[in-house]
Amino acid sequence: MKKILVVEDERPLAEAVAFSLEKEGYQVDIALDGERGWRMCQQGAYHLVLLDLMLPGMDGMEVCRRLRRESDVPVIMLTAKDADVDKILGLEMGADDYVTKPFNMRELVARVKAVLRRYQGEEKGKAASEGVIEAGDIALDRERHEVRVRGEVVEMPLMEFRLLELFLRHPGKALPREYLTTQVWEGDYFGQSKTLDVHVRRLREKVEEDPAHPRHIITVRGVGYRFEAGGESS
Ligand code: CA
């Protein structure tokens, strides 16, 4: 059974969330403040943490940062409408997803399921890190440094290769521009923003059937890019 921790200081909301998740078969614990949430994360083996951004004492941002230093448990932030999404999903905090308050429980449950599914996919990807990563009609072979699209070998310079690998490892996840650039160009973010777009354009020309209407590498306005394995049209 999957264990979820809800860190939320509004008790009625925390209980409503717990109730909805338990109905779906999850085991749910509640922490009403950041300190306690942090302690429970360290003790309990949770599969996912739902974390309110605004908490008394240690806020959600700090809890998330600490969590990221110690574990890769998926985190979904509960945020206000005007929250800084770039920051939440970016390197600074590294949450997996966010849900804006007020949310309905169906939406929240759907996000939880999606993040857990994605996380399982990533774990599989990690296990196969020496081998071939496949997503839809794309296959990337790290050992041979070879990419096949729809069965055909495609020429792929190193930076494009690394960018594609990053996409393939995080299917369905909106990846912030800053994250992509620092990962691909190893920390040298400044001046690389345009370069990122150039590389994305080149990648699209190689992996998309119709680069003008990408189905794999989707632009996420205000954030960055999201990779879809099956490819839904953007
Ligand atoms: Ca709160």
Side-chain angles (χ1 to χ4, degrees):
M1 197 198 273
K2 293 265 154 80
K3 277 177 73 184
I4 297 176
L5 177 65
V6 178
V7 189
E8 165 64 66
D9 58 313
E10 293 165 61
R11 186 187 284 271
L13 179 60
E15 284 172 354
V17 167
F19 179 75
S20 299
L21 291 170
E22 280 164 357
K23 258 196 338 205
E24 296 291 320
Y26 299 108
Q27 187 187 326
V28 184
D29 290 336
I30 293 174
L32 292 171
D33 63 71
E35 297 281 349
R36 176 130 185 82
W38 168 237
R39 274 206 311 277
M40 287 171 77
C41 284
Q42 286 175 300
Q43 288 157 7
Y46 293 102
H47 295 92
L48 184 136
V49 179
L50 278 170
L51 185 55
D52 185 24
L53 192 56
M54 303 289 281
L55 292 166
M58 190 195 295
D59 67 7
M61 192 175 284
E62 180 58 24
V63 176
C64 194
R65 267 197 215 114
R66 289 188 183 199
L67 259 179
R68 275 293 157 267
R69 281 203 291 267
E70 300 204 348
S71 89
D72 56 359
V73 62
V75 176
I76 299 179
M77 298 298 304
L78 307 176
T79 70
K81 224 185 209 120
D82 57 353
D84 186 344
V85 175
D86 250 334
K87 205 169 177 184
I88 289 167
L89 298 177
L91 289 182
E92 196 174 331
M93 279 177 67
D96 293 86
D97 202 353
Y98 66 101
V99 176
T100 314
K101 287 182 175 182
F103 48 81
N104 70 44
M105 291 301 166
R106 285 239 297 279
E107 183 198 349
L108 183 75
V109 168
R111 293 296 187 87
V112 165
K113 285 183 177 168
V115 168
L116 283 172
R117 224 173 18 239
R118 197 161 72 203
Y119 184 73
Q120 276 169 342
E122 277 176 37
E123 288 296 285
K124 260 187 247 154
K126 272 181 211 155
S129 68
E130 296 309 313
V132 180
I133 315 172
E134 279 185 83
D137 49 14
I138 303 169
L140 180 145
D141 187 330
R142 292 191 74 219
E143 279 181 5
R144 297 165 64 104
H145 191 89
E146 187 178 272
V147 174
R148 284 174 186 270
V149 179
R150 291 173 284 281
E152 301 279 321
V153 175
V154 173
E155 186 96 356
M156 196 72 64
L158 183 60
M159 292 306 168
E160 285 170 45
F161 189 89
R162 287 170 63 165
L163 187 58
L164 181 62
E165 185 183 346
L166 214 52
F167 281 134
L168 293 177
R169 286 191 185 284
H170 302 92
K173 182 170 173 178
L175 299 172
R177 302 178 60 83
E178 188 185 355
Y179 174 76
L180 289 167
T181 18
T182 47
Q183 289 292 304
V184 173
W185 287 274
E186 295 185 336
D188 184 16
Y189 176 61
F190 296 99
Q192 297 291 9
S193 192
K194 273 215 181 78
T195 317
L196 174 65
D197 295 326
V198 171
H199 281 75
V200 164
R201 200 175 66 229
R202 285 186 193 148
L203 260 188
R204 278 175 172 160
E205 279 162 12
K206 290 171 186 178
V207 304
E208 304 283 359
E209 277 184 289
D210 178 4
H213 300 94
R215 293 161 67 87
H216 284 303
I217 304 169
I218 313 292
T219 302
V220 183
R221 271 180 217 296
V223 181
Y225 296 98
R226 186 183 74 242
F227 179 81
E228 294 291 346
E232 87 192 48
S233 199
S234 70

